Short mmCIF file of all heavy atoms in Angstrom, two decimals:
data_model
loop_
_atom_site.label_atom_id
_atom_site.label_comp_id
_atom_site.label_asym_id
_atom_site.label_seq_id
_atom_site.Cartn_x
_atom_site.Cartn_y
_atom_site.Cartn_z
N TYR B 1093 3.60 8.76 -8.62
CA TYR B 1093 4.16 8.38 -7.36
C TYR B 1093 5.15 7.25 -7.54
O TYR B 1093 6.39 7.46 -7.49
CB TYR B 1093 3.08 7.90 -6.41
CG TYR B 1093 2.15 8.98 -5.84
CD1 TYR B 1093 1.18 9.57 -6.64
CD2 TYR B 1093 2.17 9.38 -4.54
CE1 TYR B 1093 0.33 10.51 -6.21
CE2 TYR B 1093 1.30 10.31 -4.04
CZ TYR B 1093 0.34 10.87 -4.86
OH TYR B 1093 -0.50 11.83 -4.39
N MET B 1094 4.67 6.04 -7.67
CA MET B 1094 5.54 4.87 -7.55
C MET B 1094 6.51 4.73 -8.71
O MET B 1094 7.69 4.34 -8.48
CB MET B 1094 4.71 3.54 -7.45
CG MET B 1094 3.77 3.50 -6.29
SD MET B 1094 2.31 4.45 -6.50
CE MET B 1094 1.08 3.38 -5.85
N LYS B 1095 6.06 4.93 -9.91
CA LYS B 1095 6.98 4.73 -11.04
C LYS B 1095 8.13 5.73 -10.94
O LYS B 1095 9.28 5.38 -11.19
CB LYS B 1095 6.22 4.85 -12.36
CG LYS B 1095 7.07 4.45 -13.53
CD LYS B 1095 6.28 4.39 -14.81
CE LYS B 1095 7.20 4.18 -15.99
NZ LYS B 1095 6.47 4.35 -17.24
N THR B 1096 7.80 6.97 -10.62
CA THR B 1096 8.86 7.97 -10.49
C THR B 1096 9.85 7.51 -9.40
O THR B 1096 11.05 7.63 -9.57
CB THR B 1096 8.29 9.35 -10.18
OG1 THR B 1096 7.38 9.68 -11.16
CG2 THR B 1096 9.39 10.35 -10.10
N ALA B 1097 9.30 7.02 -8.31
CA ALA B 1097 10.18 6.57 -7.19
C ALA B 1097 11.09 5.48 -7.67
O ALA B 1097 12.30 5.47 -7.38
CB ALA B 1097 9.32 6.04 -6.02
N ILE B 1098 10.53 4.51 -8.37
CA ILE B 1098 11.34 3.37 -8.85
C ILE B 1098 12.35 3.84 -9.87
O ILE B 1098 13.54 3.39 -9.93
CB ILE B 1098 10.47 2.27 -9.41
CG1 ILE B 1098 9.65 1.66 -8.29
CG2 ILE B 1098 11.28 1.19 -10.15
CD1 ILE B 1098 10.37 0.90 -7.24
N VAL B 1099 11.98 4.72 -10.76
CA VAL B 1099 12.88 5.31 -11.74
C VAL B 1099 14.05 5.98 -11.07
O VAL B 1099 15.22 5.78 -11.41
CB VAL B 1099 12.14 6.31 -12.65
CG1 VAL B 1099 13.10 7.22 -13.42
CG2 VAL B 1099 11.27 5.56 -13.68
N LEU B 1100 13.76 6.82 -10.08
CA LEU B 1100 14.83 7.56 -9.43
C LEU B 1100 15.67 6.65 -8.58
O LEU B 1100 16.91 6.88 -8.46
CB LEU B 1100 14.22 8.68 -8.57
CG LEU B 1100 13.59 9.83 -9.39
CD1 LEU B 1100 12.89 10.84 -8.50
CD2 LEU B 1100 14.60 10.50 -10.29
N LYS B 1101 15.13 5.59 -8.07
CA LYS B 1101 15.94 4.65 -7.26
C LYS B 1101 16.83 3.86 -8.20
O LYS B 1101 17.96 3.54 -7.87
CB LYS B 1101 15.01 3.72 -6.47
CG LYS B 1101 15.72 3.04 -5.33
CD LYS B 1101 15.91 3.94 -4.10
CE LYS B 1101 16.52 3.16 -2.94
NZ LYS B 1101 17.98 3.19 -2.96
N THR B 1102 16.30 3.54 -9.40
CA THR B 1102 17.15 2.88 -10.39
C THR B 1102 18.31 3.80 -10.77
O THR B 1102 19.44 3.35 -10.92
CB THR B 1102 16.32 2.51 -11.63
OG1 THR B 1102 15.24 1.58 -11.20
CG2 THR B 1102 17.16 1.78 -12.68
N LEU B 1103 17.99 5.07 -10.98
CA LEU B 1103 19.00 6.06 -11.30
C LEU B 1103 20.06 6.10 -10.23
O LEU B 1103 21.24 6.14 -10.47
CB LEU B 1103 18.37 7.44 -11.52
CG LEU B 1103 19.32 8.57 -11.88
CD1 LEU B 1103 19.98 8.32 -13.27
CD2 LEU B 1103 18.56 9.89 -11.97
N GLU B 1104 19.57 6.10 -8.96
CA GLU B 1104 20.49 6.13 -7.83
C GLU B 1104 21.45 4.97 -7.90
O GLU B 1104 22.64 5.04 -7.65
CB GLU B 1104 19.70 6.14 -6.51
CG GLU B 1104 20.60 6.08 -5.27
CD GLU B 1104 19.83 5.85 -4.02
OE1 GLU B 1104 18.95 6.60 -3.66
OE2 GLU B 1104 20.13 4.85 -3.36
N ASN B 1105 20.88 3.76 -8.14
CA ASN B 1105 21.71 2.55 -8.21
C ASN B 1105 22.72 2.65 -9.38
O ASN B 1105 23.78 2.09 -9.28
CB ASN B 1105 20.84 1.31 -8.35
CG ASN B 1105 20.03 1.01 -7.09
OD1 ASN B 1105 20.40 1.48 -6.03
ND2 ASN B 1105 19.01 0.23 -7.25
N TYR B 1106 22.36 3.35 -10.39
CA TYR B 1106 23.21 3.47 -11.60
C TYR B 1106 24.38 4.43 -11.30
O TYR B 1106 25.53 4.18 -11.60
CB TYR B 1106 22.40 3.88 -12.80
CG TYR B 1106 23.20 3.93 -14.08
CD1 TYR B 1106 23.52 2.81 -14.76
CD2 TYR B 1106 23.59 5.22 -14.57
CE1 TYR B 1106 24.30 2.86 -15.90
CE2 TYR B 1106 24.31 5.25 -15.76
CZ TYR B 1106 24.67 4.10 -16.43
OH TYR B 1106 25.40 4.17 -17.61
N VAL B 1107 24.04 5.61 -10.75
CA VAL B 1107 25.07 6.60 -10.59
C VAL B 1107 25.78 6.50 -9.28
O VAL B 1107 26.87 7.07 -9.08
CB VAL B 1107 24.53 8.05 -10.78
CG1 VAL B 1107 23.92 8.25 -12.15
CG2 VAL B 1107 23.54 8.42 -9.68
N GLY B 1108 25.14 5.82 -8.35
CA GLY B 1108 25.70 5.70 -6.96
C GLY B 1108 24.92 6.56 -6.02
O GLY B 1108 24.46 7.67 -6.39
N ALA B 1109 24.78 6.09 -4.77
CA ALA B 1109 23.99 6.79 -3.77
C ALA B 1109 24.56 8.18 -3.46
O ALA B 1109 23.84 9.15 -3.28
CB ALA B 1109 23.86 5.98 -2.50
N ASP B 1110 25.86 8.27 -3.43
CA ASP B 1110 26.49 9.57 -3.10
C ASP B 1110 26.21 10.60 -4.17
O ASP B 1110 25.85 11.72 -3.86
CB ASP B 1110 28.01 9.33 -2.95
CG ASP B 1110 28.68 10.56 -2.49
OD1 ASP B 1110 28.24 11.14 -1.50
OD2 ASP B 1110 29.62 11.02 -3.17
N VAL B 1111 26.34 10.21 -5.43
CA VAL B 1111 26.08 11.11 -6.53
C VAL B 1111 24.63 11.51 -6.52
O VAL B 1111 24.26 12.73 -6.75
CB VAL B 1111 26.49 10.48 -7.90
CG1 VAL B 1111 26.01 11.33 -9.01
CG2 VAL B 1111 27.99 10.29 -7.97
N MET B 1112 23.77 10.55 -6.28
CA MET B 1112 22.33 10.86 -6.32
C MET B 1112 22.01 11.86 -5.20
O MET B 1112 21.17 12.75 -5.41
CB MET B 1112 21.49 9.57 -6.13
CG MET B 1112 20.04 9.77 -6.42
SD MET B 1112 19.82 10.08 -8.16
CE MET B 1112 18.00 10.43 -8.09
N ASN B 1113 22.59 11.67 -4.03
CA ASN B 1113 22.34 12.59 -2.95
C ASN B 1113 22.79 13.99 -3.36
O ASN B 1113 22.10 15.00 -3.00
CB ASN B 1113 23.03 12.11 -1.71
CG ASN B 1113 22.76 12.98 -0.50
OD1 ASN B 1113 23.63 13.75 -0.07
ND2 ASN B 1113 21.53 12.95 0.03
N ARG B 1114 23.93 14.09 -4.02
CA ARG B 1114 24.39 15.40 -4.44
C ARG B 1114 23.48 16.05 -5.50
O ARG B 1114 23.27 17.24 -5.47
CB ARG B 1114 25.85 15.28 -4.98
CG ARG B 1114 26.91 15.15 -3.89
CD ARG B 1114 28.30 15.35 -4.38
NE ARG B 1114 28.80 14.20 -5.09
CZ ARG B 1114 29.22 14.25 -6.35
NH1 ARG B 1114 29.14 15.37 -7.07
NH2 ARG B 1114 29.66 13.12 -6.92
N ILE B 1115 22.93 15.19 -6.32
CA ILE B 1115 21.93 15.68 -7.29
C ILE B 1115 20.77 16.31 -6.54
O ILE B 1115 20.36 17.46 -6.89
CB ILE B 1115 21.46 14.57 -8.21
CG1 ILE B 1115 22.57 14.16 -9.22
CG2 ILE B 1115 20.19 14.97 -8.97
CD1 ILE B 1115 22.27 12.87 -9.99
N MET B 1116 20.22 15.58 -5.59
CA MET B 1116 19.02 16.05 -4.85
C MET B 1116 19.37 17.31 -4.06
O MET B 1116 18.58 18.28 -4.02
CB MET B 1116 18.47 14.95 -3.93
CG MET B 1116 18.10 13.67 -4.61
SD MET B 1116 17.02 13.86 -6.07
CE MET B 1116 15.56 14.45 -5.25
N ARG B 1117 20.48 17.35 -3.46
CA ARG B 1117 20.81 18.50 -2.65
C ARG B 1117 21.05 19.75 -3.54
O ARG B 1117 20.61 20.83 -3.24
CB ARG B 1117 22.20 18.27 -1.87
CG ARG B 1117 21.99 17.28 -0.74
CD ARG B 1117 23.32 17.09 0.01
NE ARG B 1117 23.59 18.22 0.86
CZ ARG B 1117 23.31 18.27 2.15
NH1 ARG B 1117 22.67 17.23 2.75
NH2 ARG B 1117 23.58 19.34 2.89
#
Side-chain angles (χ1 to χ4, degrees):
Chain B
Y1093 290 72
M1094 297 80 136
K1095 188 172 172 190
T1096 304
I1098 294 294
V1099 162
L1100 291 175
K1101 198 78 176 86
T1102 301
L1103 180 64
E1104 177 191 300
N1105 290 342
Y1106 183 76
V1107 300
D1110 184 54
V1111 171
M1112 192 68 187
N1113 182 253
R1114 283 194 282 119
I1115 289 170
M1116 301 308 295
R1117 289 181 76 95

